């Protein structure tokens, strides 16, 4: 039980070495404002109940990337907490009801990836029950909230979120973990209402066939077509009926795109859907700001884009197990601005078709073969 009456900041970020904190550890730290216990993957026990001793002083609590399964009721006593970081506490499935709503001074709440590992098993007395619908009701009472990262387990929960202008203005990162959800079509236009959304992750949309957007309606109603200006990072995986992500042509500032385990995906950007709005053909050049493109386990993928792109900011393309992708959207002009790395299997690389010989020569030095780890996983 350390005696630290003047300690304001304590980092216990462990990178797996921290396993347990005794109950009396925080007892004599009356001035502690910032407590960070992130990256504690061995921290499988409950959080120490004596954290409630910090109730009058603690303003920031970071337990991101920790292997905890529940938060104690005693955290309700942290009434002055302004920032709570639960990012990637993926085994967390019990957050007591009223715990979030009672932290009325919260300004920053980070819950990206929170509880996704066993989302469907959240007990009824947890705010994660019902795919996050209970959680959203508690968030509505946080009048000082400014920054929100959220994990939701259903399209219906997303629709409830979108009914609140307050929450829409706060959301920065959104993880849709759709295991068990029956939605086959999601109207991607709804993401346009999230003006601060930087990161979008869609996972296990087993029935999801289309991220739909009415391109003609956007062109007709809006003076400029780029409706997802804040979106920087998109990751979509295990959506086995999804055929394309054409809505991303309206995300001009996209920096990172990761698509994996989508067994029906044939195109990244669909030429057929794009052709529905011929007036747009000369005004949009997708992926102008893209820095990294990762494609993995897409056995039906045939096309990223139907013509060469400049890729002025690209740093890396990574392709693994995409056996039908026989051409990249590159020409000799794509290499003029800067060189970037192309990672993939050697067999795939040797079978690639090129725009012309000059393009093939220009990118020959960019290739790096993937290494193979245990289980056939590629890096």
């Amino acid at each position: 039980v350390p005696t630290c009456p003047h300690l304001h900041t304590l980092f216990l970020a462990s990178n797996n070495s921290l396993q347990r904190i005794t109950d009396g550890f925080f007892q004599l730290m009356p001035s502690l404002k910032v407590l960070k216990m992130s990256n504690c993957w061995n921290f499988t026990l409950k959080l120490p109940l004596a954290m409630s001793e910090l109730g009058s002083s603690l303003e920031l609590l970071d337990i991101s990337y920790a292997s905890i399964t529940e938060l104690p009721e005693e955290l309700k006593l942290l009434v002055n907490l302004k920032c709570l970081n639960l990012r990637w506490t993926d085994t967390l499935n019990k957050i007591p009801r009223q715990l979030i709503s009672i932290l009325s001074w919260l300004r920053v709440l980070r819950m990206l990836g929170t509880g996704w590992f066993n989302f469907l098993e959240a007990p009824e007395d947890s705010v994660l029950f019902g795919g996050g619908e209970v959680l959203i009701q508690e968030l509505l009472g946080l009048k000082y909230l400014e920054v929100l990262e959220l994990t939701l387990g259903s399209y219906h929960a997303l629709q409830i979120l979108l009914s609140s202008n307050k929450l829409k203005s706060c959301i920065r990162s959104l993880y849709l973990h759709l295991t068990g959800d029956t939605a086959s079509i999601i109207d991607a236009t709804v993401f346009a209402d999230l003006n601060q959304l930087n990161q979008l992750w869609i996972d296990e949309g087993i029935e999801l066939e289309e991220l739909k957007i009415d391109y003609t309606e956007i062109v007709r109603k809006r003076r400029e077509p780029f409706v997802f200006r804040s979106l920087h990072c998109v990751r979509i995986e295990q959506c086995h009926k999804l055929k394309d992500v054409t809505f991303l042509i309206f995300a001009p500032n996209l920096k990172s795109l990761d698509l994996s385990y989508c067994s029906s995906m044939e195109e990244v950007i669909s030429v057929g859907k794009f052709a529905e709005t011929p007036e747009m053909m000369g005004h949009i050049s997708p992926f102008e700001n893209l820095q990294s493109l990762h494609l993995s386990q897409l056995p039906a993928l045939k096309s990223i884009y139907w013509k060469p792109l400049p890729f002025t900011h690209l740093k890396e393309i990574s392709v693994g197990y995409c056996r039908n992708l026989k051409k990249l959207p590159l020409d000799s002009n794509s290499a003029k601005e800067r060189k970037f790395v192309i990672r993939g299997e050697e067999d795939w690389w040797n079978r690639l078709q090129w725009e012309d010989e000059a393009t093939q020569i220009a990118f020959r030095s960019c290739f790096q073969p993937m290494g193979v780890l245990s289980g056939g996983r590629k890096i």
Side-chain angles (χ1 to χ4, degrees):
V1 184
T3 302
C4 305
H6 305 296
L7 184 65
H8 284 188
T9 301
L10 177 60
F11 283 11
L12 295 175
S14 73
N15 291 321
N16 294 329
S17 59
L18 182 64
Q19 296 185 26
R20 189 171 69 93
I21 299 176
T22 58
D23 262 346
F25 185 77
F26 299 108
Q27 188 173 339
L28 301 177
M29 299 182 185
S31 302
L32 194 66
K33 293 182 180 295
V34 175
L35 175 59
K36 183 172 182 176
M37 298 188 294
S38 58
N39 294 297
C40 299
W41 288 109
N42 285 337
F43 196 77
T44 54
L45 302 177
K46 295 179 180 179
L47 292 175
L49 302 183
M51 284 181 63
S52 59
E53 301 281 346
L54 306 173
S56 61
S57 62
L58 198 66
E59 296 183 5
L60 184 151
L61 175 61
D62 182 351
I63 47 177
S64 57
Y65 299 93
S67 294
I68 55 174
T69 58
E70 64 179 283
L71 298 184
E73 290 273 355
E74 285 74 14
L75 291 190
K76 291 180 179 180
L77 298 176
L78 302 179
V79 292
N80 289 314
L81 204 64
K82 295 178 181 177
C83 177
L84 177 59
N85 189 350
L86 301 173
R87 257 186 166 231
W88 297 109
T89 49
D90 47 20
T91 57
L92 179 63
N93 73 344
K94 184 177 179 182
I95 301 176
R97 295 204 184 201
Q98 283 80 56
L99 172 59
I100 299 298
S101 58
I102 208 168
L103 302 176
S104 59
W105 290 98
L106 272 182
R107 296 189 178 186
V108 178
L109 178 60
R110 302 191 186 277
M111 297 184 67
L112 186 69
T114 300
W116 75 267
F117 190 73
N118 44 15
F119 218 80
L120 295 180
E121 299 175 15
E124 288 191 32
D125 57 350
S126 170
V127 299
L128 299 178
F129 181 76
E133 295 177 22
V134 176
L135 172 61
I136 293 172
Q137 296 302 323
E138 295 207 13
L139 293 175
L140 292 173
L142 300 178
K143 61 181 179 179
Y144 298 110
L145 193 65
E146 297 174 359
V147 175
L148 176 63
E149 298 181 354
L150 203 55
T151 300
L152 299 176
S154 71
Y155 184 44
H156 184 247
L158 174 63
Q159 291 174 313
I160 297 174
L161 170 73
L162 293 168
S163 67
S164 166
N165 289 329
K166 168 66 174 177
L167 296 183
K168 285 193 296 186
S169 68
C170 295
I171 194 83
R172 300 296 194 274
S173 301
L174 180 63
Y175 188 144
L176 293 178
H177 191 258
L178 299 176
T179 301
D181 195 280
T182 58
S184 61
I185 297 176
I186 289 181
D187 181 6
T189 312
V190 300
F191 302 124
D193 292 331
L194 307 176
N195 293 324
Q196 305 298 322
L197 184 66
N198 299 138
Q199 185 174 12
L200 174 65
W201 193 314
I202 302 177
D203 189 12
E204 293 198 31
I206 306 300
E207 299 300 323
L208 182 61
E209 297 178 14
E210 185 176 11
L211 289 161
K212 187 177 182 180
I213 191 166
D214 191 331
Y215 307 99
T216 306
E217 187 75 0
I218 286 177
V219 173
R220 186 173 65 83
K221 281 191 171 183
R222 296 177 181 263
R223 294 182 179 179
E224 57 90 22
F226 298 117
V227 294
F228 309 113
R229 281 198 171 274
S230 64
L231 200 57
H232 290 167
C233 177
V234 172
R235 182 166 183 170
I236 299 174
E237 58 185 8
Q238 300 192 77
C239 297
H240 294 293
K241 295 183 179 180
L242 190 64
K243 288 183 167 56
D244 63 82
V245 287
T246 307
F247 78 100
L248 292 177
I249 63 173
F250 297 112
N253 297 311
L254 190 68
K255 295 179 180 179
S256 174
L257 176 60
D258 193 323
L259 305 172
S260 62
Y261 294 94
C262 299
S263 54
S264 297
M265 186 168 291
E266 299 175 356
E267 304 169 284
V268 176
I269 304 296
S270 168
V271 61
K273 291 181 179 179
F274 203 70
E276 293 174 7
T277 54
E279 60 270 44
M280 298 294 295
M281 298 289 271
H283 297 285
I284 288 184
S285 178
F287 308 137
E288 282 188 308
N289 290 293
L290 196 69
Q291 296 180 11
S292 65
L293 174 62
H294 296 274
L295 307 171
S296 177
Q297 300 285 353
L298 309 173
L301 185 67
K302 296 178 181 178
S303 169
I304 296 173
Y305 196 66
W306 63 88
K307 65 179 182 179
L309 293 169
F311 287 124
T312 52
H313 295 90
L314 194 65
K315 297 178 180 178
E316 177 186 6
I317 296 178
S318 175
V319 179
Y321 296 107
C322 302
R323 58 180 177 269
N324 284 307
L325 182 62
K326 298 176 181 178
K327 191 173 183 179
L328 299 176
L330 304 171
D331 61 13
S332 54
N333 291 323
S334 305
K336 284 183 177 179
E337 293 293 330
R338 59 184 297 159
K339 289 292 182 74
F340 47 84
V341 174
I342 302 175
R343 292 190 173 92
E345 301 141 299
E346 287 199 63
D347 181 59
W348 166 79
W349 176 258
N350 293 331
R351 289 185 290 108
L352 273 183
Q353 300 169 6
W354 298 94
E355 192 75 13
D356 48 45
E357 187 178 358
T359 304
Q360 185 175 12
I361 293 172
F363 285 98
R364 185 175 293 160
S365 63
C366 297
F367 179 66
Q368 290 184 7
M370 282 183 171
V372 181
L373 298 182
S374 60
R377 189 165 61 90
K378 301 270 184 177
I379 59 167

